[in-house]
Amino acid sequence: MGKGHDSMLTAAIAPTASYEWMMTMERRRRVSLSDVARAAGVSTSAASFALNSRPGVSDTVRERVKEAAVQLGYVPWVSGVALRTGRSGAVGLLIRNLRNPFFLDVINGFDATCAEAGLGVVIGSADYTPSRESELLSTFIAREVDGLALAPIGGGSAASRWHDATAKPIVFINAAQHAPDIDASRVHVDSEGAVRQAVKHLVGLGHSRIALVAAPKEHSADNERTGCFLALQGELAFEARTISSEMRHDRAVEVLTNVLEESSETRPTGIITSSDYLATAVYSAASDVGLRVGVDVSVVGHDDLATSRFLSPSLTSIAVDRYGLGVAAARALIHQLGGAGTSTVVVPTTLIARQSSCPPPT
Amino acid sequence: MGKGHDSMLTAAIAPTASYEWMMTMERRRRVSLSDVARAAGVSTSAASFALNSRPGVSDTVRERVKEAAVQLGYVPWVSGVALRTGRSGAVGLLIRNLRNPFFLDVINGFDATCAEAGLGVVIGSADYTPSRESELLSTFIAREVDGLALAPIGGGSAASRWHDATAKPIVFINAAQHAPDIDASRVHVDSEGAVRQAVKHLVGLGHSRIALVAAPKEHSADNERTGCFLALQGELAFEARTISSEMRHDRAVEVLTNVLEESSETRPTGIITSSDYLATAVYSAASDVGLRVGVDVSVVGHDDLATSRFLSPSLTSIAVDRYGLGVAAARALIHQLGGAGTSTVVVPTTLIARQSSCPPPT
DNA sequence: GTGAAAGCGCTAACAG
DNA sequence: CTGTTAGCGCTTTCAC
């Protein structure tokens, strides 16, 4: 589809690939169910029943069919099944972005768990763009993925569109408050607990001006973090301030440089980020304005990436089982596919104190 | 399929999902091509031709059909197309493992490029296990992905099976010498150049006993690296040694600890790893045996991860455009899908000297 | 307990 | 230029 000038339009209609290649390509003969049936000397329907372990075929036939299937190396052709049943045996994983190493482990856990269950994984990155998220959603629907794991950006439109169009299972990753009207499983880091741990740690060290770096509201589900952070002022003695920044490293450095350039009376002495990845942006910004992390300014990251303990200074961070998060998301989806209801999993966090956090300069 | 005792067998036959869920699930009515055709008042074939920008329909009809499609929010149902044409509009990405952050950027570039072309991405991690690789390959074939990007492990069996079964495009990622008999695109880091740069750097600093950490032969395509490394002895004055280690961080630390425990007369003074990720294993091992990286032992990593310059000591590393690698792989695949022949892209590397490499102790 | 047949959504050959 | 039709591989009634 879409050659030349009208490609934009057709893209809007059909966000599928637009090659006209290989029209001529020999199409390899594939081993079909009827081949298996013929080899076993039974009808296709009998073969189908046999392989799907359904009642209605004798044990001898069942045996013979299975043998033939193995012999021929038969693998059920997904498009046939999907067309007939509406099930593709794959699930979609729609992630906010693919730049933060955080998601690598999530993907890994998700993928491994799905693989174990025989489920394929179709992946997509919204890249923090709502339109991209929406587009990907369309392709996931069109591919008839059986379930969706969504780390959403923006409002709940993607989730409700998915729900309306498919009525299939969905699990939210790290979006506890997202689209509350939708019956979804929810798997997320205990971000409130994490913020509490970070603030307590810094207040315990003596800090009184603490800043939280958060993504702009429309880009993430950082609202809980921010809300909890501000609420903590009622409980602990410190002055809270939020720094709104895009998640891109270079942009974050700019914003943070501006903050750290303020006079030592107003600038925060402790900074809490939502990722270790962003924490290194504080390192860069501090270095740019001549401040020393772990001396002049304290930093608490989030994720405890493998390399964080080797940073200079080593980074105080909130550790979270990212792989486990991916596993939990996959499990929630698989349970729903098995007919169970939705569930919620909150993954706990642990603060790992290192050299980037210290008492504030006096 | 597969309930209870026979699930193993059916799994072998059909590595597809085995839920019997939602048999009862209402199947949402979907907007089909015939709906569009009806709305536009033409036949389905006319609608198909119109949307696929093929000759054989009048412009007015074409216009009317497209309008109707947009109106109804029509998205072509992939399984229908795939069943009919053998093309799914998706490509498979089969990666060695999902633990090394290296691949995150590769995935990112790959995904973004495919997305631009309207291609879906099905992902899978072989997790360094040949059987897993083979299994995933089966599901990719069964899903009729239109092309395969493969970072292979072990022999070329996966590649040749893909080729035999599908005759569809394939691109090798970081496996220059892999399966030379297969007509594949090849996209890879200039690993020989990288090894050369690393060795030259260390020799230039005065090192004479240099070790290269490489994966066991059957797990990776590190052969070129090793070969080139050993060959360099003819050209530069140094003693080469290879350390074979699994890629898992904890296992690597063990192996490296053993090496660094050797006496200062025999142990290498410079160590070259195949990833920054593994380089931190040297940091750990050195710390375990009381040696200082950047003083007692020099380390050169590979990948220049975002956090590497913040490591303590900052890590000398070979920078490589990982995102670009993913883009190149996707492009090679897309070109082949467009009917072009196979191609080879070698991604160059740059050595970034930092504090982890220094003159050897005297 | 078994087989024949319909039809999921789509495209491509063919007839009008 | 347009419409009818067959059939991709599979599951699932429905008759036997």
Side-chain angles (χ1 to χ4, degrees), chain B residues 327-347:
Chain B
V327 170
R331 284 217 185 112
L333 218 42
I334 291 167
H335 284 154
Q336 281 189 70
L337 288 175
T342 57
S343 54
T344 297
V345 176
V346 179
V347 179

Side-chain angles (χ1 to χ4, degrees), chain A residues 1-3 6 9-10 12-23 25-30 50-55 62-63 65-67 69-70 73-80 82-90 98-105 107-108 111 115-125 127 132 135-136 138-139 141-144 146 163-169 249 276-277 280-281 283-284 305-313 334 336-339, chain B residues 1-3 6 9-10 12-23 25-30 50-55 62-63 65-67 69-70 73-80 82-90 98-105 107-108 111-112 115-125 127 132 135-136 138-139 141-144 146 163-169 249 276-277 280-281 283-284 305-313 334 336-339:
Chain A
M1 29 203 91
K3 50 165 106 165
D6 58 7
L9 179 53
T10 52
I13 298 172
T16 31
S18 62
Y19 25 70
E20 35 220 81
W21 36 278
M22 313 226 148
M23 294 296 189
M25 194 184 76
E26 61 173 319
R27 197 155 151 199
R28 285 279 203 273
R29 167 107 193 89
R30 23 194 196 191
L51 291 177
N52 290 323
S53 302
R54 297 175 97 78
R62 195 182 299 281
E63 206 48 52
V65 170
K66 285 185 173 172
E67 205 161 313
V70 172
Y74 168 71
V75 175
W77 235 242
V78 173
S79 51
L83 186 54
R84 188 59 235 250
T85 65
R87 279 176 258 137
S88 65
L98 239 27
R99 251 178 256 120
N100 185 338
F102 178 88
F103 279 117
L104 186 61
D105 294 318
I107 295 172
N108 196 6
D111 175 70
E116 227 168 85
L119 282 167
V121 175
V122 185
I123 203 173
S125 163
D127 212 12
R132 179 93 198 87
E135 228 174 274
L136 277 167
S138 294
T139 75
I141 294 173
R143 298 213 126 79
E144 291 169 295
D146 300 334
H163 187 261
D164 291 352
T166 70
K168 287 175 177 174
H249 199 274
D276 283 6
Y277 178 67
T280 61
Y283 279 50
S284 293
L305 298 184
T307 46
S308 293
R309 69 190 188 97
F310 297 109
L311 293 179
S312 176
I334 291 167
Q336 281 188 72
L337 289 176
Chain B
M1 33 203 88
K3 50 164 104 167
D6 58 7
L9 179 53
T10 51
I13 297 173
T16 32
S18 61
Y19 26 68
E20 36 220 80
W21 37 278
M22 313 222 148
M23 294 296 187
M25 196 185 74
E26 63 174 315
R27 199 158 150 196
R28 286 279 203 274
R29 168 109 189 87
R30 21 192 196 192
L51 292 178
N52 291 323
S53 302
R54 298 176 96 80
R62 195 183 299 280
E63 208 44 55
V65 169
K66 284 184 175 175
E67 205 161 313
V70 171
Y74 168 72
V75 175
W77 234 244
V78 173
S79 50
L83 186 55
R84 187 60 236 250
T85 64
R87 281 177 256 135
S88 65
L98 237 26
R99 250 178 256 120
N100 185 337
F102 178 88
F103 280 117
L104 186 62
D105 294 318
I107 295 173
N108 197 5
D111 176 69
E116 227 168 87
L119 281 167
V121 175
V122 186
I123 202 174
S125 161
D127 212 12
R132 179 93 198 86
E135 228 174 274
L136 278 168
S138 294
T139 75
I141 294 173
R143 297 212 125 81
E144 292 168 292
D146 300 334
H163 187 261
D164 292 350
T166 70
K168 288 175 177 173
H249 198 272
D276 283 6
Y277 179 67
T280 61
Y283 280 48
S284 293
L305 298 183
T307 47
S308 293
R309 70 190 185 99
F310 297 110
L311 293 178
S312 174
I334 291 167
Q336 281 189 70
L337 288 175

